Structures are given as C-alpha cells and as structure tokens.
Amino acid sequence: MNLYEKTAYDAAMALEKKEVTSVELVESVLGRISEVEKNVKGFIHLIERETILEEAREIDRLRAKGQRSSILAGVPMALKDNMCTMGIPTTCASRILEDYRPPYNAHVTEKLQQAGTVLIGKANMDEFAMGSSTENSAFYPTHNPWDTNRVPGGSSGGSAALVAADEVFFSLGSDTGGSVRQPASLCGVVGLKPTYGLVSRYGLIAFASSLDQIGPLTKDVRDCAMVLEIIAGNDSRDSTSVPREKESYSSYLGRDIKGFKVAMPKEYFQEGIEEAVRESVMNAVVLCIKLGVEVEEVSMPHTSYALPCYYLVGTAEASSNLARYDGVQYGFRAPDQDNLIELYLKTRSQGFGSEVKRRIMLGTYALSSGYYDAYYLNSLKARTLIRQDFENVFQNYDLIITPTSPSPAFVRGERLDDPLTMYLSDIYTTTANLAGVPAISIPCGLADGLPVGLQIIGRPFDEGRMLQFCFALEKMLGFKGLKPKISADGVLKDVS
Amino acid sequence: MSPEYEVVIGLEVHVELLTESKIFCSCPNRFGEAPNTNVCPVCLGLPGSLPVFNESVLELAVRASLALNCTVSSYSKFDRKNYFYPDLPKAYQVSQYDFPLAKEGFLDLLKDGRSIRKVRIERLHLEEDAGKLIHDQKESISYVDYNRCGVPLVEIVTAPDLRSPGEAHLFLDWLKKILLYTGVSDCKMEEGSLRCDANISLRPSGTETLGRKVEIKNMNSFRAVQKGLEYEVIRQKQILRAGGRVAMETRRWDEEKGVTAEMRGKEEAHDYRYFPEPDLPPLMLDENFLSRMKGELPELPEKRYLRFMESYGLSPYQAEIITSSKNLADFFEDTLLHYPHSQKVSNWLTGELFGLLKTSVKEIDDIPLTPLHLGELLKILDEGTLSSTLAKEVLEESFLSGKLPREIVQEKGLLQISGEKELLLIVEDVINNYPAAVKDYSDGNKKAVGFLVGQAMKQTRGQANPQVITELFKKRLGK
Ligand SMILES: [Zn+2]
C-alpha cells in the first residue's frame, strides 16, 4: 500500500510509531500529485516543493525531540482557496483576486499550522464558492477522480477531489448551501458542515455570512472527527463564533448507537431524486435498523421553501460581501478607465465570472427598495419556518437521515447552461445552512460506479453524536476501502 | 406684496467618539497619523476580515443619548449601508437603520438665560467612519487614506425644528458643550470629529406643510453652517418670490466664494439597500447598564447654566462663559469652597485668569493654579493688605509656578504698607522732593494730590495703601 493511500489517522499513527517521517508522507503525496494532478486539477496553487519539505523536516525534528503539536503533526493537507493564507495566493478562483496574497492567516489556517499539519496547496473551487460543480472556477474545472469526464461537485470540488484522489490526506472546504457535503457525496469522501458558529469564519472570504461554515473533507469519519477537533472552538475575532467548551469528538467514536432515534423526512425522497440514489440511501436505512436504530418517516413541511430562500438570502448577502472588489485597494483593476464609475464597471465586469455576476445581480435586486419586503424579508420569514421544522423534529429524534444530493456526479458541461437544474443539486443541503444545524455526508454506496452520499443532520452542536452514528454506520456500509482508480492516464477503470 | 417666509432647518450631525480604539478592530482611534499606518485587515475591509464590536463605544454613545434626553433602545442592531466610494473599503458602511440605538430626545435651546426652543432629536445611531480622499490637483490623481476607517461615530438627527441660521449655530454650540461635558467627543470640527449637514426649506409664514428641502454639505465650522444657511435663505426666498420652485437637491457650501452650489441631483439618489449586518449580533442593553449610565451622567451644561444664574446671581453672559466648559464651571464652584463671593470669583475668573489662559494658550485644567490658589488670593485682597495691582502680579506668578499666593506675597515682601508711621516718612520725603507739585496743590489744584500719591506708590513699589496715603497727604498739606 502506498503511503498516500492511508487515512490521515493511519498516517498519524505511522508517524507516531516512527514507521514513517513527515518528509516521507510529503514525498509520497507529491509523487501522487505529479502522477494524477494533471487529470484531477484539484489545486489552484501548489506550494513550492522545497518550502513544503522544509516544513516537514522541521516537524520531524520537533517530533524526534518529543515535541509534537498535535496528533496530525506532519500530515499533508490542502485548504480551499477562499481561506486566507499569509503571503500565499488566495484567489477564490476568481480573476478579481488572481494575484492577491493576504497579509494574514485565517483562523483555520492558524489552527492547522499550530497543529503542525503541512499545507500542500490551495484547492480549486467555484468562483467565490458559487456553484455546484467547480466549473465556475475562473482558471479551470476540477475533474472527478471517479470519472474525469464528470464534475467533482462544488463549490469545494477541489478539496473533495484531492482527498478522493489521495493527493492530500484531508482538506478543508466551506459550506454555504452544501458546498462541502455535495462534493463529498460526488467524490465518495466524508464532508462535514459544522453547526453555524462552531468554527470561526475569521479569514474565510465571505460568500454569504449568515450561512458560511468551514468543514473538513476526509477519507473517513475518524479523520473527520480529528480534523474538526483542531479547527472547532471559540474565536473572539468572529462575533458569530459561539463560546463553548472544547469537545473531544474522537471520544464518541466506537460507542454503541443502539436506541438512536432517526427521522426520515419524506420531503427529501420525493420527485427529482435519482432511483439509484434512493436505493443506496434506503439500503443504509435498513442497515441502521439492523444496528438497533429506530427510523421513522416524518414531515418537514417547509422544506420546499429552502432553495428559493437560500438563493435570496445567499445572493443578498453576497451582493454586499463582494462589493469590496472594486479595483481600488487590492486585486484586479481593469486597465483603461477614465473615471471612477468606469473603474468600477470595467473592473467588476471583467473581474467576475458570469455566475458570480448573476448572483450579485439577483442579490442586489432582492435588496432594492420596493422589492426588499417581497424578497429579502419574506425569505427571512421562510428561514424561521425552516428552522422550526428542525426544532420540531429534534424534539423527538436525535438525527435526520436524507440523501446528500439527488444524483451522483454529472457530466461536465451538462448543466452549465441551465443554472436552475444546477441549483437543484443543492436541494437537500441548503436547509442545514438556513437552520444553522450540523450536517455530514458520508459515502453509502455506488451507482453505476459513482459514489452516492448519505446526509446525517443533527441538533446544534451535536457533532459528537453525529460522528458516533456515522462511524458505526460507515463500518457496516462497506464503502470504506473503495477508491477511484484514477491513474496517470486518467482513464476510469472498473472498481473492484 | 410678497409673503413672508418661515425658515425650517434640520441638522444631521456626525460625531466621532473618544474611544481608545476603533469601533470594530483594535487599531487606536487617533487623529493625525501618517496615511495608512493606523490600519489592520478589519478596518481595511480585507477579504475574510470580520468586525468585532468595541463595547466602550456603547458607553459613550449611550451617554450622549441620555444627555440628549433620548430613549435608549434595549434592542438595536447593525445594518449595512451599501454604496461604492473609494474611501469606503468594504463598499458598505456598518450603520444602524430601522433600530437605532436611541430616539425621541430633545435639546433645550437656551439664550439669554431662558429656553427659546425645544429642538427634538429624532434619532441617534452608531456607525463607522470612512477614510479620506486626498486629491492631487496637479497630477489629477486621488489617494486614499484609510486611517479614519472604523473610527466610531454617532449620527444625531434633529427634527426640522430650527427656525433660523442663528438657531442652528446656537444648537451646535449647545450640542458641543453637552458632548464635551460628557466626554463623548472632542468636537473638533477642524479635525472632522464633528461634522454637520443641514436640511433647509422655506414655507409661507403661518402654514404647516414643509417646503421643498435642500441639503447643504461641506460646512467646516459652526460659522460656516450659519453662513451657508443664511445664503440659502436668501437664495430660496428669491426663487419663491419670483414664483419659482426650489429644486430638491444637495448643495455644497463654498467657503471662499460664500455661496452654495449644486452637488448632485435627486435623480442620482442612492438606494443604499440596507439589510441587517450578518457578521454582528444585535445590541441588547439591560436595565442595570442603563441605570448605571444614567447615574454616572454629570450635571449637563443647560442645567448648570441656569443654576449658576439662579444660585450665584451671575448674569446670563457670565454664566454662559463660565459653564462653557465643564472644567471651568468646576473650577468656579471649587473656588467658591475657598472663597464664597461668587461675583468676585466670576470677575477674576473671566477677567484676569482668562487673560492669562489666552496669552499662554492653555486650558484651565492644564495649569498649576488651582481653585485653592484663586480663593486664597481673593482672601488676601479682602484683608486689605495687598493692592489689586500687586494681586494681579501674584496671580500671574501663581499661574506660572503653582506657588500659593501667601507664599509669593511673603517671599517678595509685597504686603501692603498701611501703617501711618511708616507712610508718613514717605509722605514727607515726597513733599520735599516735589515742591512744585506741593505748591500747585496749595494754589488750589486739588488734582495734584494724585501726582504725589503716584510718587509715593512708586517709591514703595506699589506696596503703599493708596487710600491711607491719600488721606495722609491731604492731612499734611491741609485740605
Ligand atoms: Zn483596524
């Protein structure tokens, strides 16, 4: 078995037992990257080999002296390119920030640095995290390692594909309406969107402030728990970060899940869902029952409001968050402008891609005087109803089980000209962002050789028990160990 | 005959708060730093940065609200005001829209010792300041200085209750006093820590409907506010008398030319697309906090002004001068503890001491002279052992060195000579030295005694008691 194939936990254990060094782990993933990255295109920016190796050597030296900053010290990883990394390009996959190097680190960047993990590069994404296929990257689309003709999902498509293709041991993504969970689902990895306020957004370049959360993309549930432990926790620089005791999520793993009460909302299994996806998820439900879990169908009547509500709240906030890219202080500035208005118009017209412009216009419209009440205000009301749906269900159930996405990975280009169908990719995932509750996608099977994801939604700050549940289920699902057969020539091979 | 018009004015005042640090980051809140040195990712609005509300802003803003008799809301929230301008790095200003910190207050406009008008305060809300553009005319390039970004502001909006440009000036005088008294702001218009825009319209006297209003900007002193409004009154009257319609617009006061000129028309009016700031939780104020803040409020200038007239018998003019700053009024009252005659204290304070402050360009609280000094000096004066000329010298010495007046008087031997025996010797001496004047007096020119007294004073370096010595001359030379 190649080193790069290990989970982050196994790699960490091998480091702990001194079977490998961080330098060897780095060499292994760099070798893997040089082999497959040209077919995956998961990175926007790769850090210079020598810089990475020097960091790994330092961590090895410290470890030899008995100083390791965390269990994951020395393990290579990637960050989505909307998380600020000091002096390292942070582009949001946009022309408008193409040459932008932040003068400071995001909270998560700091946390992972303090933990001694090794940053390999910045992952590709849909521009400003707007999209569900990573085709909206201003630079190039990322390919799904399971079938390079297909999309990896989005917007954290780079982060998901890199983990699926074993180019890094784990990565971070950001999730505004499903941007961690949907690509996790399409790439066959684990992706968690934590409770709103659990992970600091300081240094995460905002798309929609009231929805954005950073979460891990990992090879399995244990890795997810370990990474979450590092990045979760209160940060005084983010006023929406919730002060709470630090939790050991790993300590939940391996506990019995018998007696858990799980709700299956019927609204998530209605038209639009592909049959193979439904089957996969229903298989998982049967397994749950075998594990002694009580599963019952429930109704969450306001689910149908979620998508329109999401596209109003999200675009409204985005229209304001993205207004700062005006060519004045930093980033791209269009050449040849005669006055201030032209500077703004040309910079923003040339600097943003079409999906970003579409959403800025939608959001601007929704906030305009005369429309505010009908759109923005009503969507806030809908949001309250959606939140109440969750509160009601969680009075009687511990968790909610749903599919993550209505279909497995689709072919690149297929939905590009049809934004509405593209938006439907998020139909099961936006609710958790609107309600602020935690949700995770774990792979639950294959449909025609493509991974299918299962979504588990929990009570606010109940990540521990969610992970406990997923860990038990993951063992039974038998997906673990399945890998895409991507190789240097990029041809999809049969999964054995 | 053309109708008379009533002038209707409302003011929007922006006041920078005197906090240690900025409103949403820990950068120091300081004026006059080198451009773009007092900044951080948050106030520069860099991608990924987030605001954190500085709680000390709240104390000052609540103090201002209470001092303006406003109702402070137990719930208020921040909103984003969206517009593009190079001095606004996020392209939105964090402000408060539909739930301001405070509303429905008033300011009692006092003049000549009585209230001439109660000016309603519609609202007071929190917001962040923007940066500053610096235009290089020669190169036709504009630069941005972001130092001021994130300086905490309150915006105070009055109802259209002011009835003349003079009242607008008076309102600002009182507002400034209130804000200085409460330590909310230093109100330095020249440094931009207090800025004022005005809305003005005219309507036929006796009617209630508001006329078409004009907003005036760029008035950089209280005097400019008055002058700009005076100009606008004349301009609008002319339009109305000619049967015209005043255009609703924003006009810019041109200090040099002394005119207002059109700035931007209504067709370019902004849609600010306000919406709740998702990065900041709402502000919830509890009763304990509010009652603590109320308890900590000092006596406000209007009250003090009236009290000083009533309790100390000061004239409106004296009361106004003495209560113009809290420190001065405190100094006055503290002096009364040592020397209880308010009229004399007032005279010395507004006369001699003001003169000294003015020439040394100092404030009452940064001199070594204290109320104890002034009180002691006035006591010595009452004892009749010090001439008022010498007392002025002693005051100056005390003002510079901080030494107590008695000490100075003793050190310099300045005590007045009142003993007849001693003075008689001097009288004899002068009579011998100035026979011409003596003759003059004897010939009936009684004014000549003044010359002789003057000589005696000179000889004693002013220490002779002038009353006593005059009597002695008169006695000696015979009336
Ligand atoms: Zn700052």
Side-chain angles (χ1 to χ4, degrees):
Chain A
M1 184 183 177
N2 296 298
L3 281 180
Y4 59 73
E5 285 176 82
K6 286 183 183 293
T7 62
Y9 176 79
D10 288 342
M13 286 302 114
L15 283 167
E16 198 75 357
K17 292 179 199 149
K18 304 206 187 322
E19 293 165 3
V20 295
T21 62
S22 178
V23 168
E24 286 168 327
L25 291 178
V26 166
E27 293 281 14
S28 175
V29 294
L30 289 181
R32 175 68 172 169
I33 288 166
S34 65
E35 198 182 318
V36 301
E37 173 59 8
K38 58 181 179 292
N39 296 317
V40 177
K41 297 173 178 287
F43 282 109
I44 287 180
H45 176 79
L46 261 173
I47 294 174
E48 245 177 82
R49 182 187 170 80
E50 203 30 57
T51 311
I52 304 173
L53 282 170
E54 188 42 48
E55 210 179 312
R57 275 183 219 118
E58 178 61 21
I59 287 159
D60 285 336
R61 271 195 290 274
L62 287 173
R63 196 184 274 273
K65 282 196 275 179
Q67 302 167 2
R68 68 153 174 77
S69 31
S70 83
I71 182 138
L72 290 179
V75 176
M77 55 87 188
L79 292 173
K80 187 175 180 177
D81 207 25
N82 58 356
M83 295 165 201
C84 286
T85 43
M86 192 159 70
I88 296 167
T90 302
T91 68
C92 284
S94 180
R95 291 274 172 229
I96 216 154
L97 285 176
E98 193 165 358
D99 297 315
Y100 181 67
R101 288 166 195 259
Y104 73 104
N105 278 325
H107 178 80
V108 289
T109 311
E110 261 174 22
K111 284 283 158 193
L112 287 173
Q113 227 167 47
Q114 286 160 10
T117 63
V118 181
L119 180 67
I120 300 295
K122 304 295 293 286
N124 200 8
M125 57 189 280
D126 285 301
E127 184 178 4
F128 282 101
M130 295 176 183
S132 309
S133 68
T134 315
E135 290 167 289
N136 295 334
S137 167
F139 308 122
Y140 36 78
T142 294
H143 302 166
N144 192 317
W146 293 83
D147 176 349
T148 52
N149 291 317
R150 291 175 187 265
V151 303
S155 66
S156 310
S159 299
L162 290 172
V163 173
D166 289 326
E167 295 183 63
V168 288
F169 290 94
F170 70 92
S171 65
L172 293 188
S174 66
D175 190 314
T176 307
S179 280
V180 161
R181 289 160 287 156
Q182 186 258 11
S185 166
L186 269 52
C187 289
V189 298
V190 173
L192 169 71
K193 181 206 88 77
T195 310
Y196 186 77
L198 182 65
V199 178
S200 167
R201 294 184 292 116
Y202 188 76
L204 169 70
I205 299 182
F207 160 10
S209 314
S210 76
L211 303 165
D212 295 342
Q213 262 300 285
I214 295 172
L217 288 128
T218 57
K219 296 182 184 181
D220 66 9
V221 175
R222 184 192 292 280
D223 283 4
C224 180
M226 285 198 306
V227 177
L228 183 63
E229 249 167 68
I230 292 173
I231 62 171
N234 187 229
D235 175 17
S236 60
R237 297 168 300 183
D238 174 0
S239 310
T240 62
S241 155
V242 178
R244 287 177 60 86
E245 291 274 307
K246 266 256 176 202
E247 263 198 276
S248 164
Y249 299 105
S250 317
S251 68
Y252 285 88
L253 308 182
R255 294 189 201 166
D256 198 5
I257 62 166
K258 206 173 151 188
F260 267 59
K261 289 191 76 179
V262 174
M264 221 175 78
K266 62 173 191 247
E267 288 79 6
Y268 286 71
F269 293 85
Q270 284 162 359
E271 75 260 45
I273 184 170
E274 275 189 27
E275 200 42 46
V277 172
R278 183 204 299 272
E279 254 173 49
S280 256
V281 175
M282 290 315 288
N283 279 341
V285 169
V286 170
L287 281 177
C288 289
I289 294 165
K290 279 186 188 161
L291 286 167
V293 172
E294 260 180 73
V295 185
E296 279 173 7
E297 194 182 77
V298 297
S299 172
M300 300 182 76
H302 301 104
T303 304
S304 61
Y305 295 158
L307 208 58
C309 175
Y310 167 77
Y311 274 95
L312 285 168
V313 175
T315 58
E317 291 181 11
S319 71
S320 172
N321 282 331
L322 271 64
R324 71 189 67 192
Y325 309 106
D326 57 8
V328 174
Q329 196 191 152
Y330 48 78
F332 169 76
R333 177 188 291 181
D336 311 324
Q337 3 81 19
D338 290 334
N339 55 47
L340 187 61
I341 299 294
E342 251 186 44
L343 164 76
Y344 289 151
L345 291 178
K346 286 190 174 174
T347 297
R348 291 169 65 80
S349 300
Q350 295 166 27
F352 288 132
S354 59
E355 181 59 28
V356 172
K357 281 187 269 196
R358 175 168 22 243
R359 295 202 196 186
I360 289 174
M361 284 190 281
L362 279 173
T364 304
Y365 188 78
L367 290 176
S368 297
S369 70
Y371 300 97
Y372 181 86
D373 289 3
Y375 294 121
Y376 188 75
L377 220 53
N378 270 334
S379 70
L380 291 191
K381 287 178 193 156
R383 192 169 179 179
T384 305
L385 293 173
I386 290 160
R387 196 175 285 138
Q388 278 165 4
D389 271 1
F390 279 99
E391 281 163 12
N392 291 340
V393 170
F394 285 134
Q395 281 185 353
N396 300 312
Y397 301 91
D398 302 297
L399 299 167
I400 295 169
I401 189 166
T402 79
T404 305
S405 186
S407 72
F410 43 91
V411 172
R412 205 164 45 253
E414 197 180 79
R415 298 185 184 173
L416 215 44
D417 298 326
D418 183 2
L420 282 183
T421 313
M422 187 72 99
Y423 292 175
L424 285 174
S425 314
D426 300 327
I427 190 159
Y428 304 138
T429 46
T430 56
T431 48
N433 302 80
L434 291 166
V437 296
I440 186 171
S441 175
I442 62 169
C444 65
L446 289 174
D448 296 328
L450 295 170
V452 174
L454 170 77
Q455 177 173 241
I456 300 293
I457 308 172
R459 295 192 182 107
F461 301 105
D462 206 13
E463 280 83 356
R465 296 204 316 150
M466 271 170 65
L467 290 162
Q468 170 187 351
F469 183 84
C470 291
F471 187 74
L473 194 57
E474 179 183 55
K475 273 189 188 160
M476 301 289 289
L477 283 166
F479 184 91
K480 226 182 136 178
L482 293 188
K483 292 263 186 192
K485 293 288 186 241
I486 188 158
S487 65
D489 53 19
V491 175
L492 176 76
K493 293 180 186 165
D494 280 342
V495 176
S496 47
Chain B
M1 203 185 96
S2 54
E4 282 308 305
Y5 291 99
E6 184 179 39
V7 176
V8 178
I9 296 169
L11 299 179
E12 285 174 25
V13 185
H14 285 89
V15 179
E16 288 184 352
L17 304 180
L18 272 178
T19 50
E20 289 287 314
S21 50
K22 293 184 179 182
I23 186 166
F24 298 126
C25 63
S26 53
C27 290
N29 176 14
R30 267 202 305 256
F31 178 80
E33 307 276 299
N36 298 315
T37 54
N38 190 18
V39 289
C40 73
V42 176
C43 53
L44 283 175
L46 291 187
S49 65
L50 293 171
V52 176
F53 181 59
N54 172 0
E55 293 286 334
S56 57
V57 167
L58 200 56
E59 293 216 355
L60 292 185
V62 167
R63 226 187 278 168
S65 309
L66 294 173
L68 293 169
N69 307 295
C70 290
T71 308
V72 180
S73 316
S74 55
Y75 170 93
S76 73
K77 68 177 174 66
F78 290 105
D79 299 277
R80 291 188 185 175
K81 178 180 182 179
N82 296 284
Y83 65 95
F84 287 94
Y85 205 64
D87 66 5
L88 193 67
K90 298 188 296 287
Y92 60 79
Q93 179 191 30
V94 178
S95 179
Q96 296 192 297
Y97 182 54
D98 47 356
F99 291 89
L101 179 69
K103 52 191 174 190
E104 289 158 0
F106 65 87
L107 186 152
D108 218 351
L109 216 51
L110 299 181
K111 198 182 175 189
D112 300 332
R114 60 184 188 86
S115 166
I116 59 162
R117 201 177 295 289
K118 216 171 207 178
V119 181
R120 286 169 299 159
I121 307 291
E122 278 183 351
R123 57 185 280 152
L124 180 152
H125 70 251
L126 291 166
E127 57 188 30
E128 59 179 338
D129 210 343
K132 235 186 263 177
L133 290 190
I134 299 156
H135 303 285
D136 188 323
Q137 305 290 357
K138 259 189 279 167
E139 296 181 70
S140 74
I141 288 179
S142 296
Y143 299 91
V144 194
D145 177 5
Y146 294 105
N147 280 351
R148 202 175 65 181
C149 289
V151 165
L153 289 179
V154 289
E155 181 175 335
I156 299 164
V157 183
T158 77
D161 286 350
L162 296 159
R163 290 293 172 266
S164 72
E167 281 188 19
H169 192 308
L170 190 63
F171 175 88
L172 291 172
D173 283 338
W174 278 110
L175 180 67
K176 179 176 174 177
K177 260 185 248 182
I178 292 169
L179 297 173
L180 288 174
Y181 259 65
T182 45
V184 166
S185 173
D186 60 13
C187 297
K188 291 182 181 162
M189 242 183 149
E190 67 281 9
E191 290 182 7
S193 62
L194 189 151
R195 306 193 285 273
C196 178
D197 298 335
N199 288 306
I200 175 166
S201 62
L202 265 55
R203 63 183 170 200
S205 298
T207 59
E208 285 300 312
T209 342
L210 288 173
R212 291 162 63 81
K213 72 175 180 188
V214 169
E215 188 180 5
I216 316 175
K217 289 181 179 289
N218 195 46
M219 299 170 293
N220 296 319
S221 65
F222 290 0
R223 233 173 75 84
V225 171
Q226 184 167 350
K227 276 162 63 189
L229 287 169
E230 279 165 354
Y231 176 86
E232 199 55 28
V233 170
I234 295 166
R235 190 185 71 88
Q236 293 189 20
K237 260 187 197 164
Q238 279 171 353
I239 294 172
L240 293 172
R241 287 202 171 126
R245 235 161 95 95
V246 173
M248 301 254 269
E249 61 188 6
T250 301
R251 297 178 72 84
R252 187 175 179 281
W253 169 246
D254 187 326
E255 180 79 38
E256 247 168 69
K257 293 184 189 148
V259 298
T260 63
E262 192 187 338
M263 215 164 131
R264 60 168 185 253
K266 199 178 187 281
E267 62 280 3
E268 273 182 63
H270 280 119
D271 177 358
Y272 290 118
R273 289 172 285 118
Y274 281 100
F275 76 103
E277 164 60 282
D279 288 328
L280 289 166
L283 290 175
M284 313 283 242
L285 305 187
D286 63 53
E287 268 312 309
N288 290 342
F289 172 74
L290 285 179
S291 54
R292 177 168 70 80
M293 295 304 295
K294 270 178 204 159
E296 285 173 9
L297 216 58
E299 186 186 20
L300 296 168
E302 303 106 304
K303 247 195 171 160
R304 217 168 189 188
Y305 168 71
L306 295 173
R307 183 167 64 81
F308 275 23
M309 286 193 297
E310 204 175 320
S311 312
Y312 303 130
L314 301 186
S315 70
Y317 174 74
Q318 282 176 316
E320 192 188 323
I321 295 185
I322 294 178
T323 59
S324 67
S325 97
K326 181 173 180 298
N327 289 334
L328 206 58
D330 286 348
F331 193 97
F332 173 76
E333 290 208 284
D334 288 348
T335 307
L336 288 180
L337 296 177
H338 303 286
Y339 182 82
H341 304 294
S342 52
Q343 203 49 250
K344 258 196 187 159
V345 173
S346 165
N347 289 344
W348 276 79
L349 188 59
T350 57
E352 287 310 308
L353 196 50
F354 263 37
L356 291 170
L357 287 170
K358 216 172 170 184
T359 33
S360 62
V361 203
K362 279 190 171 146
E363 297 289 327
I364 193 79
D365 54 332
D366 46 45
I367 53 168
L369 182 115
T370 69
L372 176 69
H373 291 81
L374 182 58
E376 192 178 285
L377 183 70
L378 295 178
K379 252 189 243 166
I380 299 174
L381 256 177
D382 274 6
E383 288 162 9
T385 52
L386 188 68
S387 70
S388 58
T389 322
L390 281 176
K392 286 172 190 171
E393 276 177 40
V394 172
L395 184 77
E396 186 169 3
E397 168 78 31
S398 215
F399 180 90
L400 295 171
S401 67
K403 272 189 194 157
L404 283 169
R406 271 193 208 287
E407 235 179 287
I408 299 168
V409 165
Q410 264 157 21
E411 259 175 39
K412 302 202 161 179
L414 291 180
L415 278 187
Q416 212 165 39
I417 307 165
S418 302
E420 291 201 10
K421 244 185 171 172
E422 221 174 316
L423 290 177
L424 217 48
L425 292 174
I426 294 158
V427 167
E428 288 304 328
D429 209 31
V430 172
I431 288 173
N432 289 335
N433 287 339
Y434 298 97
V438 172
K439 188 172 178 293
D440 214 12
Y441 182 83
S442 306
D443 289 350
N445 183 2
K446 300 296 175 205
K447 278 186 191 157
V449 76
F451 174 78
L452 294 168
V453 169
Q455 293 310 313
M457 294 305 286
K458 221 179 194 174
Q459 266 192 38
T460 58
R461 285 170 29 243
Q463 275 172 279
N465 183 323
Q467 275 98 47
V468 177
I469 209 153
T470 309
E471 283 313 303
L472 284 176
F473 269 115
K474 285 180 181 170
K475 241 193 232 168
R476 172 67 177 72
L477 298 173
K479 299 192 179 171

